[in-house]
């Protein structure tokens, strides 16, 4: 089975992808981590240098590459929070079982506050109102595209993977 994990930043996609990969012995791909490795830059640096549009192009290329290289292989892919907004990415993932990791806006604020490095470029300097607007915009798109929704209300990793 090919699984794609979608949801907002801090929803637990990377953690769950690693657990599923280990438990079911399938390849694991973290799209953001792969882009950072290829570019030898952090996502924040890529956003600064290339802008969001430049990052999104890299993201789409990486998703298409993963999908093409894993046509007949089981794998799990952790996508960036905005990846699913692009129809090219949704098309590339049409053969994947898509799982949406839902996190309430309250929990999202709490998790963001815990990230002292503020590594997520679109959340780095945003006001609570901007985060709320992003959340409300993305939520119906996540729900429309997913096959399954998992509510992840805890910052405790064991709750998500238990």
């Amino acid at each position: 089975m090919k699984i794609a994990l979608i949801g907002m930043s801090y929803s637990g996609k990377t953690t769950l992808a690693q657990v599923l990969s280990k438990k079911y012995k399938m390849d694991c791909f973290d799209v953001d981590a792969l882009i950072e490795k290829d570019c030898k830059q952090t996502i924040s640096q890529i956003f600064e240098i290339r802008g969001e549009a430049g990052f999104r192009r890299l993201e789409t290329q990486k998703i298409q590459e993963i999908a093409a290289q894993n046509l007949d292989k089981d794998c799990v892919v952790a996508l960036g929070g905005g990846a699913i907004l692009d129809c090219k990415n949704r098309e590339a993932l049409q053969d994947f079982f898509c799982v949406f990791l839902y996190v309430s806006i309250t929990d999202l604020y709490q998790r963001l506050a815990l990230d002292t490095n503020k590594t997520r470029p679109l959340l780095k300097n945003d006001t609570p109102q901007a985060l709320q607007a992003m959340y409300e915009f993305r939520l119906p798109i996540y729900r429309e595209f997913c096959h399954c929704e998992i509510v992840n209300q805890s910052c405790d990793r064991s709750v998500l993977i238990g």
Side-chain angles (χ1 to χ4, degrees):
M1 173 177 272
K2 295 184 289 194
I3 301 169
L5 303 176
I6 64 170
M8 293 290 289
S9 293
Y10 303 101
S11 62
K13 300 180 300 281
T14 297
T15 299
L16 184 57
Q18 292 167 348
V19 169
L20 291 172
S21 171
K22 186 175 181 180
K23 184 171 185 170
Y24 296 106
K25 297 176 180 34
M26 57 175 137
D27 291 336
C28 178
F29 302 98
D30 181 320
V31 172
D32 286 354
L34 291 170
I35 292 169
E36 287 181 332
K37 183 179 175 189
D38 288 351
C39 294
K40 296 176 180 55
Q41 296 172 315
T42 66
I43 299 300
S44 291
Q45 291 170 327
I46 295 168
F47 264 75
E48 283 180 33
I49 295 165
R50 301 179 189 213
E52 183 177 0
F55 169 76
R56 297 293 175 202
R57 281 190 295 278
L58 293 170
E59 183 178 57
T60 296
Q61 289 170 356
K62 186 55 65 179
I63 291 168
Q64 290 173 339
E65 177 185 308
I66 292 167
Q69 291 176 354
N70 291 279
L71 291 173
D72 299 318
K73 295 182 199 170
D74 292 342
C75 66
V76 59
V77 180
L79 299 170
I84 211 67
L85 304 178
D86 188 318
C87 62
K88 291 178 190 169
N89 297 337
R90 293 192 301 269
E91 184 178 312
L93 297 165
Q94 66 187 354
D95 293 331
F96 284 70
F97 184 80
C98 189
V99 178
F100 166 42
L101 297 182
Y102 170 83
V103 176
S104 72
I105 191 70
T106 303
D107 287 341
L108 194 59
Y109 285 131
Q110 290 173 350
R111 293 173 191 195
L112 180 59
L114 293 173
D115 182 3
T116 55
N117 296 325
K118 302 291 183 255
T119 56
R120 308 312 204 282
L122 289 181
L123 304 179
K124 194 185 227 178
N125 300 315
D126 275 345
T127 63
Q129 296 82 4
L131 180 59
Q132 178 78 34
M134 180 188 300
Y135 181 87
E136 290 174 2
F137 175 77
R138 290 181 177 183
L139 193 60
I141 298 168
Y142 293 144
R143 286 187 165 146
E144 179 184 330
F145 188 72
C146 75
H147 297 100
C148 172
E149 180 174 330
I150 296 174
V151 176
N152 182 16
Q153 294 180 322
S154 175
C155 284
D156 181 355
R157 294 174 68 180
S158 64
V159 173
L160 177 62
I161 62 179

